[in-house]
Amino acid sequence: MKRTIRILLAAVLVAVTAGGYWFYQSRAATTASSASGQTYTQIVDVTQGSLNSSLSVVGQLEAKQSANLAFEQMSGTTNLLTLAVQAGNVVTTGQVLATIDPAPYEQARDQARSDLQAAEEALSDLQTPATTLAIAQADVAVSTAKQALAQANDKLADFKSPDLTSLRSAVQDAQDSLALLQLQATLAGHESLAKSERDLQYAVSWYQRRITELQALSNPNAEQIAEIPDDQVSLAAAQVDLARVQVERELARQSRAAEAAKANVVLADAQEALAEAQAGGDKLALAQAELALHQAEVALQAAQEARTDLDAGADATKIAAAQAAVDKKRLTLGDAEAALAGARLLAPFAGAILQTNVNVDDQVTANTTILTLANLGTLQVVASVDETTIRQISAGQDATITFDAFPGQSLQGKVLTVPLQGLLQGGVMVYAVPVSLSGADNLALLVGMTANVEIQVGQAADALLVPTLALTKANGLYQVLVPNTTDPNGDPVAVPVEIGLSDGAYTQITKGLNPGDQVVVQIASTTSSSQNMGRRQYDDECHPAVGRALKGVTDEEAHDGVTRGREFADRTHDANRADHAGNCDWCGRRHRAGGGGHGCAGAGGEPVSIVRIEPGHSDRDVELWLLTERPAAEQPHVDHERRERDQESGYVG
């Protein structure tokens, strides 16, 4: 933040032409090369006129309508699926800018729909009167539950009081069945399939032997030759029949074996059951039977209650609970649909993409800013005003705005609002004040450009004016020095005053002085040397006679030093600027506006409008302020590194 130091040397010239005079007073030495302290003094008439007070601050250009867009509805972390825009693109309202994978959100929405449907059906069932069919179904359910309960009771009773006679009979039946199967297996060798297999084996052997004999004849007759093919056909048929019979016999054997195995299992189970019953029963099976009985009892109770509910009608409490469940599921569905819609990043308004912060496949969360969108059709300047001067700002005040990027261009605006909350920056509370901007249609302004804002904070007509340099402060009160009327050679007399507006060069006196009064301006210096003469010269825009009188040098010395003086001014003009933390670039200390500072910077980094030397500064500080009264457009920028080089070379104290 900065405030331009405006020491209008023209005011000094006006004072000289109005009858003021300069004199030099030294308290320790009279030569220009003396190292002792010096005081430069001027007597100035109190004038009367109009005063416009303004506050110069720095801000930056912003769009009134802008937004940092993110997938705010998403949960967890995912990869960016698509990015349809890049910086500089112009978009319309509702345009899709970027997307993430919608699959998990579609699944969540479908599940929410299903849950809502089930809840609505449950509510509808409660609200719908029981039908004849529903009553009949409930009766069937009660009967089925009763039957299951009876079976569970019987099974449990069997475990608790086993029938040993029946168990022994079951063992005997299983033994008889197994013996019968074994007998059937023994008789299987004498059944028809076995006889057929033997006959077919004989036939195959005969045909094979006959064909071999016929083929072995050395001189067979025609009948023998014709017999060979017939025997071969018969052999093939016999072989097929033999294979079929063998398969049938094998299947019969396997079936008997399976029945025998089953009979063995039945016998083993019967024997085990008899043994368990004789030993007192299986504890695990008994526990399972008891559990089955309990489950059957619960099922019967539920079926009976459901049947009773049908007769009594819907319960109000249950209906309310069901309705609450429906409402909850509906909200869940709404959230799921919003989350699904949030998988697409849409432009909330028409504008231009200022920047994109991610690329496709980058991992993003709900807090990841995907891009910045701004409506460049409506721009404003947001000025930074510190806590010491914010009280001077009010909505509707006129402002003049310039941009470093467009020298010589001056735009107009008005303070829109005064914020109630500031932001702490470097130990100073700074307020972001929006200022409207007009007349910028033909300028290629970009968001973020630095703007210099001069806000008109007040006006006064027919005001008593004194140079701001004439003001001092003692015990928290302002005062000026006036000539000693009783003793012309005596020290000036301090007169308390009350001040009003100030434009930096002049300050309004509301109480303590009258038209026609005179005030004394004193500037104290701590060091002086002939080496610094050239550095103290005014540039071409300053009055050479005043410069020589103030500096105590001849015309030749002034002319000789003017080149070095201007070079010094060009290198050091920016030393009165302060950073946003409120530290003076010249001396490194923080000064508060109007409060005894040397004028290079006020609180929050704003240069103050009065110029006085604080203890510890040399007269080279004075020449800094005198040499910087050049138009802002003519003042080159000087950085800290260059100033450090100047300090090392002796140009800057």
Side-chain angles (χ1 to χ4, degrees), residues 233-453:
V233 171
S234 299
L235 174 61
Q239 289 174 334
V240 170
D241 290 340
L242 176 60
R244 175 181 57 77
V245 170
Q246 289 175 338
V247 169
E248 290 177 353
R249 287 198 65 192
E250 178 62 21
L251 291 176
R253 186 192 65 77
Q254 292 178 357
S255 176
R256 289 192 296 271
E259 290 178 355
K262 183 178 180 180
N264 279 317
V265 170
V266 172
L267 176 59
D269 290 342
Q271 291 173 339
E272 182 179 2
L274 177 60
E276 289 177 352
Q278 290 173 339
D282 185 357
K283 304 300 181 182
L284 177 59
L286 178 61
Q288 291 174 340
E290 291 175 343
L291 177 60
L293 176 62
H294 176 69
Q295 291 174 339
E297 291 173 344
V298 172
L300 176 59
Q301 182 178 0
Q304 290 173 338
E305 289 178 353
R307 180 63 180 86
T308 302
D309 290 342
L310 292 178
D311 293 336
D315 181 76
T317 302
K318 292 182 178 180
I319 292 178
Q323 182 63 59
V326 169
D327 295 340
K328 182 178 180 180
K329 299 300 183 183
R330 187 172 288 117
L331 289 175
T332 302
L333 177 59
D335 292 341
E337 290 175 339
L340 176 59
R344 299 193 308 163
L345 192 62
L346 307 180
F349 53 84
I353 305 299
L354 297 186
Q355 65 178 4
T356 58
N357 302 315
V358 294
N359 297 313
V360 173
D361 291 332
D362 285 355
Q363 285 195 336
V364 297
T365 66
N367 296 323
T368 303
T369 298
I370 305 301
L371 51 85
T372 301
L373 174 66
N375 181 1
L376 301 183
T378 55
L379 299 176
Q380 67 180 8
V381 172
V382 177
S384 298
V385 182
D386 70 57
E387 58 186 319
T388 64
T389 52
I390 189 64
R391 291 169 57 186
Q392 303 178 41
I393 306 299
S394 61
Q397 289 174 335
D398 293 328
T400 301
I401 304 167
T402 60
F403 291 91
D404 294 343
F406 300 95
Q409 296 282 349
S410 180
L411 307 176
Q412 302 302 312
K414 287 184 179 293
V415 175
L416 297 175
T417 59
V418 179
L420 300 179
Q421 177 64 48
L423 181 64
L424 194 63
Q425 296 181 3
V428 177
M429 188 64 69
V430 178
Y431 296 82
V433 178
V435 179
S436 65
L437 184 66
S438 60
D441 297 338
N442 297 326
L443 295 181
L445 296 176
L446 299 177
V447 172
M449 281 185 170
T450 300
N452 307 302
V453 185

Side-chain angles (χ1 to χ4, degrees), residues 543-580:
H543 197 286
V546 175
R548 289 195 302 275
L550 179 60
K551 301 300 181 180
V553 297
T554 65
D555 290 338
E556 290 77 15
E557 290 174 324
H559 180 75
D560 179 64
V562 70
T563 302
R564 284 180 294 160
R566 181 179 300 154
E567 180 185 1
F568 172 74
D570 288 344
R571 287 201 303 270
T572 60
H573 82 282
D574 199 41
N576 67 326
R577 309 183 107 179
D579 60 22
H580 289 288

